């Protein structure tokens, strides 16, 4: 599509905005240049983004969480010597690719090594099957880097058949971002094609090396050039809530691990096109549309109307940085405030404004923002990045002549955050990946969330003017299956809609079916109903009933479900208390709720309660 066609697709308002911005850019003074620093053998400071990764690496040097990989299946007569030569040219041209991170005097600094050939790791896996190839790919990705020993990248070539190779390019995130990686592969295959033609024209030297950028970034920050951006984020996030309390499958450990998993899903071409059309009709982006949908999903699961999404953003604000290689990335926080009664189309406008404001203030370092907010609030850590979101446009085909190149999506078995959603757009279909912390979630739970997100997107595309609270997380087929499982006739009568009554009706129809499973423990519907009834009778004897609150303070377990149903059967309201919450918070909730009875295990009770009830 040429530029005229693209302009024709813009609305009058978009064309007016583009003209205004182009006019402003033409009148603006020349952007400040990034001065080169002397190369006298000394080290250079880390950028703010590098500094955060360095600290995390010190916590667990063997962790592969920040190993970034591009895996390509290449079919055709591949010349690995051409690939190796092209990589050596890249390493010589881009200093960051031969930079190590060294601790000196209590701080870390970048130390640039002289150019040297990159060793090529080769393995012949012909005839060994897909499982062996996957194991080899994961081993290459998960092998840790020693940050003081550059280069912090490696290339593994796995021969999988005649004229078929899998190339595994692995780099530590501290030296490279996604934009840079895409540019590097364009350079690699351009150089490869030149060698096929017998040419050896070197690519032009980059305008800016990363070490010069890091010095300039810190000088700009120290001079107060970003104070306006800091003030924007302070206003936006000063009273920010904690992340949504998503239902976890496991108690949160004292220290967050990096083990993780992925659930991949796909939106077909019809749904993908409908979402693009909706974004265009609302004069917004596909990113904002998908972020709004993700916000609705997290709001439902977390029971909150104020959701924080962490979003990666580039810091390439100067033209000379467009072709630079390095870690030019920052983390922005989108604060999404939902009104369940408002149409989704209206909420989408709110998300668009939040995204526009965040992008306009994207240069203030996230690491410094967290420090600033911690000082302002004096409440300890500020958890702004538990939930991540990103939309990426897949690059167009870059295969040299005679080769077929396919990107492979491989699960490295790690996660950098509690839950993240990354969506790739190939121009036809949207491909989503939920990445989750294995210490917190079971794969089945995240897979269910992925199905709900797809159903939500379909409902949004079909009913963009529906109220946010009315959007469905279940497809029509799933809803029919749920009704067929036993709750349909009760719902249709309209005579009894209370949760415990609906449950009792299902238990009467299928008493021997498994109702709840947690680890090795399980109960049938009949067993769960009987246990809840016994508890309800005990609660009633203690004074529970309509208008009364009962505290429910149990670990995630089968007993937790018994306790919830028992309280409801007694006619009371339940007040959930997480045993891992601070004691002061639990005591305050108890006082405010007026609960005089607590369902809890005696071994877990560390706060004063008027009546203690042990669950049998």
């Amino acid at each position: 599509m040429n530029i005229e066609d693209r302009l024709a697709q813009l609305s009058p308002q978009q064309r007016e905005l583009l003209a205004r911005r182009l006019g402003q850019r033409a009148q603006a003074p020349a952007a400040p240049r990034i001065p080169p620093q002397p190369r006298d053998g000394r080290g250079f400071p880390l950028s703010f983004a590098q500094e955060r990764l360095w600290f995390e690496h010190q916590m667990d040097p063997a962790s592969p969480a920040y190993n970034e990989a591009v895996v390509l299946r290449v079919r055709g007569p591949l010349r690995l010597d051409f690939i190796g030569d092209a990589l050596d040219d890249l390493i010589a041209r881009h200093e960051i690719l031969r930079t190590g991170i060294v601790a000196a005097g209590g701080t870390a600094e970048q130390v640039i090594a002289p150019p040297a050939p990159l060793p090529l790791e080769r393995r012949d896996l012909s005839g060994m099957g897909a499982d062996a190839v996957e194991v080899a790919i994961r081993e290459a990705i998960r092998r840790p880097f020693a940050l003081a020993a550059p280069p912090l990248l490696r290339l593994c070539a796995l021969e999988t058949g005649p004229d078929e190779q899998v190339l595994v390019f692995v780099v530590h995130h501290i030296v490279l971002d996604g934009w840079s990686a895409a540019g590097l592969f364009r350079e690699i295959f351009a150089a490869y094609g030149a060698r096929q033609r017998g040419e050896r024209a070197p690519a032009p030297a980059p305008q800016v090396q990363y070490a010069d950028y890091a010095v300039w970034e810190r000088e700009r920050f120290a001079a107060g050039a970003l104070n306006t951006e800091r003030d924007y984020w302070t206003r936006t996030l000063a009273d920010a809530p904690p992340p949504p309390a998503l239902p976890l499958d496991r108690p949160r450990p004292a220290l967050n691990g990096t083990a993780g998993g992925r659930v991949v899903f796909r939106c077909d071409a019809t749904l993908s096109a409908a979402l693009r059309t909706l974004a265009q009709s609302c004069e917004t982006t596909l990113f904002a549309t998908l972020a709004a949908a993700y916000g609705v999903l997290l709001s439902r699961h977390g029971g909150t109307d104020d959701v924080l999404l962490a979003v990666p953003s580039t810091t390439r604000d100067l033209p000379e940085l467009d072709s630079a290689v390095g870690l030019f990335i920052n983390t922005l926080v989108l604060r999404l405030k939902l009104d369940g009664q408002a149409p989704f189309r209206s909420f989408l406008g709110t998300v668009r404004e939040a995204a526009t404001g965040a992008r306009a203030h994207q240069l203030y370092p996230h690491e410094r923002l967290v420090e600033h907010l911690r000082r302002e609030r004096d409440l300890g850590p500020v958890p702004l990045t538990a939930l991540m979101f990103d939309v990426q446009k897949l690059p167009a085909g870059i295969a040299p002549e005679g080769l077929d190149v396919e990107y492979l999506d491989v699960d490295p078995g790690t996660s950098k955050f509690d839950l993240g959603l990354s969506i790739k757009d190939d121009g036809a279909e949207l491909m989503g990946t939920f990445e989750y912390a294995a210490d917190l979630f079971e794969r089945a739970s995240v897979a269910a969330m992925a199905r709900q997100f797809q159903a939500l997107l379909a409902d949004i595309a079909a009913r963009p003017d529906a109220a946010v609270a009315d959007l469905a997380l279940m497809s029509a087929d799933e809803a029919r299956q749920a009704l067929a499982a036993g709750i349909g006739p009760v719902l249709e009568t309209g005579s009894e809609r209370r949760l415990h009554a609906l449950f009792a009706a299902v238990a009467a129809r299928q008493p021997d079916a498994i109702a709840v499973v947690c680890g090795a423990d399980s109960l049938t519907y009949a067993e769960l109903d009987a246990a809840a009834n016994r508890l309800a009778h005990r609660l009633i004897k203690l004074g529970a009933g309509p208008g009364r609150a009962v505290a429910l303070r149990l670990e995630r377990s089968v007993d937790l479900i018994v306790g919830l149903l028992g309280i409801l059967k007694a006619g009371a309201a339940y007040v959930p208390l997480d045993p891992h919450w601070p004691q002061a918070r639990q005591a305050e909730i108890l006082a405010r709720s007026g609960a005089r009875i607590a369902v809890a295990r005696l071994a877990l009770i560390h706060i004063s309660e008027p009546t203690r009830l042990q669950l049998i």
Side-chain angles (χ1 to χ4, degrees):
M1 183 182 296
N2 58 35
I3 188 65
E4 290 81 7
D5 293 334
R6 291 182 181 274
L7 288 173
Q9 290 187 347
L10 298 179
S11 68
Q13 295 89 342
Q14 289 173 320
R15 286 196 291 270
E16 180 182 353
L17 177 61
L18 177 61
R20 187 164 62 249
R21 289 184 175 176
L22 289 174
Q24 291 171 348
R25 182 169 294 181
Q27 298 169 9
R33 307 294 294 185
I34 298 177
Q37 302 295 315
R39 299 302 193 259
D40 52 9
R42 65 185 177 92
F44 298 91
L46 304 186
S47 69
F48 291 117
Q50 283 182 316
E51 187 176 65
R52 175 176 62 84
L53 297 188
W54 166 256
F55 284 133
E56 294 199 21
H57 180 79
Q58 300 313 297
M59 299 291 291
D60 187 2
S63 171
Y66 286 97
N67 287 8
E68 303 293 330
V70 176
V71 183
L72 305 174
R73 176 178 284 120
V74 183
R75 296 183 176 92
L78 177 68
R79 290 283 303 269
L80 286 175
D81 55 333
F82 285 179
I83 294 290
D85 289 345
L87 266 173
D88 291 342
D89 289 347
L90 283 177
I91 291 172
R93 189 161 59 252
H94 299 288
E95 291 178 346
I96 190 64
L97 300 181
R98 47 189 167 90
T99 293
I101 312 298
V102 179
T107 61
E109 61 183 19
Q110 302 183 61
V111 176
I112 302 169
L118 178 71
L120 177 62
E121 303 176 19
R122 304 183 65 171
R123 292 182 62 182
D124 186 355
L125 301 179
S126 300
M128 296 184 66
D131 289 345
V133 175
E134 183 175 347
V135 169
I137 292 173
R138 286 174 65 96
E139 187 278 330
I141 294 174
R142 294 180 61 84
R143 199 186 325 149
F145 287 99
L147 297 191
L152 301 182
L153 70 158
R154 55 177 169 263
L155 177 63
C156 304
L158 310 176
E159 185 175 349
T160 56
D163 282 344
E164 182 175 293
Q165 306 262 358
V166 172
L167 301 182
V168 186
F169 181 85
V170 189
V171 60
H172 197 283
H173 196 29
I174 204 167
V175 298
L176 208 66
D177 60 22
W179 180 301
S180 298
L184 287 183
F185 275 95
R186 284 192 293 270
E187 289 190 43
I188 289 172
F189 285 122
Y192 185 99
R195 283 165 172 75
Q196 280 184 315
R197 299 187 297 272
E199 303 169 1
R200 190 80 184 255
Q207 290 182 277
V208 175
Q209 296 286 355
Y210 192 75
D212 301 319
Y213 165 81
V215 173
W216 174 78
E217 179 193 46
R218 288 187 173 270
E219 290 177 346
R220 176 171 60 169
F221 180 84
L226 301 178
N227 287 353
T228 300
E229 298 203 356
R230 178 202 63 199
D231 295 342
Y232 167 83
W233 289 112
T234 301
R235 292 192 304 272
T236 301
L237 301 175
D239 60 343
L246 301 180
L248 305 180
D249 295 312
R250 300 183 179 91
R252 184 179 294 276
L255 293 176
N256 291 333
T258 59
R262 292 184 178 184
V263 172
V264 179
F265 66 91
R266 182 183 296 271
C267 299
D268 62 29
T270 301
L271 176 56
S272 300
L275 292 169
R276 293 190 186 92
T277 300
L278 172 61
Q280 188 173 17
S281 70
C282 295
E283 298 186 352
T284 189
T285 61
L286 182 63
F287 169 89
T289 305
L290 296 171
Y294 190 35
V296 173
L297 181 73
L298 294 174
S299 172
R300 297 278 185 88
H301 279 268
T304 178
D305 58 2
D306 198 345
V307 175
L308 299 182
L309 279 187
V311 177
S313 176
T314 183
T315 57
R316 299 173 187 268
D317 59 319
L318 299 181
E320 55 261 45
L321 296 178
D322 286 348
S323 59
V325 171
L327 185 63
F328 298 92
I329 197 167
N330 195 20
T331 300
L332 308 182
V333 180
L334 294 188
R335 187 171 184 181
L336 310 183
K337 296 184 178 182
L338 296 92
D339 177 357
Q341 302 309 310
F344 178 83
R345 193 186 298 271
S346 174
F347 175 53
L348 180 52
T350 301
V351 175
R352 177 185 59 203
E353 293 176 4
T356 301
R359 299 291 186 191
H361 301 87
Q362 65 184 9
L363 298 180
Y364 194 81
H366 179 77
E367 297 71 26
R368 294 298 180 264
L369 174 63
V370 171
E371 292 178 4
H372 178 70
L373 291 178
R374 186 175 297 151
R375 289 194 300 269
E376 290 288 313
R377 299 172 67 174
D378 195 26
L379 291 175
V382 183
L384 300 177
T385 56
L387 304 169
M388 293 289 292
F389 178 72
D390 190 22
V391 176
Q392 304 170 15
K393 181 74 174 177
L394 288 179
I398 54 175
E401 184 178 352
L403 296 178
D404 176 59
V405 178
E406 174 190 4
Y407 285 91
L408 301 182
D409 187 14
V410 179
D411 181 358
T414 61
S415 180
K416 306 178 188 68
F417 26 79
D418 289 2
L419 184 70
L421 173 59
S422 176
I423 297 179
K424 295 182 174 64
D425 180 7
D426 67 1
E429 295 183 336
L430 301 176
M431 294 156 287
T433 300
F434 275 98
E435 181 178 313
Y436 62 92
D439 288 341
L440 304 178
F441 297 100
E442 295 281 358
R443 189 181 191 281
S445 299
V446 181
M449 189 177 293
R451 292 193 297 272
Q452 291 172 348
F453 187 66
Q454 290 174 279
L456 178 62
L457 290 177
D459 201 24
I460 286 171
R463 302 189 304 142
D465 293 308
V468 168
D470 292 339
L471 293 168
L473 298 186
M474 186 181 293
S475 68
D477 287 342
E478 289 175 318
R480 282 191 292 270
Q481 291 172 9
L483 291 173
I487 66 172
V490 178
L491 288 174
E492 289 169 3
T493 65
S495 60
E496 182 56 271
R497 295 175 180 268
R498 291 178 297 171
L499 174 63
H500 56 285
L502 296 176
F503 171 82
V506 176
R509 281 191 292 274
Q510 47 187 41
D512 296 327
I514 296 296
V516 58
V517 177
C518 185
D521 299 326
S522 66
L523 290 175
T524 65
Y525 277 95
E527 291 169 337
L528 177 53
D529 195 40
N533 285 337
R534 289 194 299 270
L535 177 60
H537 289 307
R538 293 190 63 183
L539 290 171
I540 291 170
K541 289 180 180 179
L542 290 168
R548 300 289 182 87
V550 175
L552 181 61
R553 187 176 183 274
L554 290 170
E555 298 274 2
R556 187 180 182 89
S557 61
V558 168
D559 288 345
L560 178 66
I561 306 302
V562 175
L564 188 152
L565 281 173
I567 294 171
L568 295 178
K569 282 174 176 283
Y574 69 90
V575 179
L577 291 177
D578 189 327
H580 299 282
W581 286 346
Q583 299 302 314
R585 181 180 180 186
Q586 295 185 54
E588 181 181 1
I589 292 174
L590 276 175
R592 290 189 177 186
S593 68
R596 310 300 295 174
I597 305 170
V599 175
R601 291 188 184 278
L602 291 177
L604 296 177
I605 295 178
H606 300 291
I607 54 180
S608 176
E609 294 141 346
T611 302
R612 296 179 178 179
L613 175 65
Q614 184 176 8
L615 185 64
I616 298 174

